[in-house]
Amino acid sequence: MRLGVLALQGAFIEHEQALQRLGVDFTEIRQLADLEHEYTNKNCKLDGLIIPGGESTVQGKLLHDLELFQPIQELIQHDMPVFGTCAGLLLLAEKISNDERCHLATMHITAMRNAYGRQLGSFFTEAEFKGLGKIPMTFIRAPYITEVASDVEVLAEVNGKIVAARQGKQLVTAFHPELHNDQHYNDAVHAYFLQMINE
Ligand code: GLN
């Protein structure tokens, strides 16, 4: 298995460390050439893509500037597995309730940016994630999901707000699972994504 990690901005290194702990091969996607390098005869060899947290507006702009937007959107539309955390969730959301912009818009969810307000910028909690039990969740100026279409499965809620969901081969979390590397937790959400890829 070989994954791409979108490495334009934000917390991509922490995802790479999680993949290293899980023994998964990956490559950084920083420019169009990095993606093109993964193609043989018009087929992309990547088994999936991780879109990290950071600033969705910055990553969205860079995707366009670097001409990565369309190829990545097409790969996801053609069922390449994708895992977006925080800003990555916003990049995948079809609609952002408090922003006119949307980005890749491949997932049938509406999300709210900075949904916990500027005061409660960051917090930690533990909550149930479907199939994984209780897991640690760190939120950093996080969004949450306000609406999901019928093809979206809700995987986790915190205080009645949806913070993780799945639609086909697309997985999103409003929190940052890549920031937890304690033995007990064992990179469970990344492992869940790998399992999704293998299904
Ligand atoms: N607030 C950021 C945004 O709107 C997301 C924060 C994060 O990824 N930790 O894109």
Side-chain angles (χ1 to χ4, degrees), residues 53-56 86-87 90 113-114 140-141 176:
E55 273 305 317
S56 53
C86 202
L90 290 163
R113 279 189 82 192
N114 300 318
I140 305 170
R141 293 189 306 106
H176 287 267

Side-chain angles (χ1 to χ4, degrees), residues 22 28 32-33 44 50 52 66-67 88 94 117 128 132 157 171:
L22 291 164
E28 287 186 351
L32 187 56
C44 183
I50 293 182
L66 298 165
E67 291 175 42
E94 185 176 57
E128 205 70 31
L132 301 181
E157 290 182 57
L171 173 68

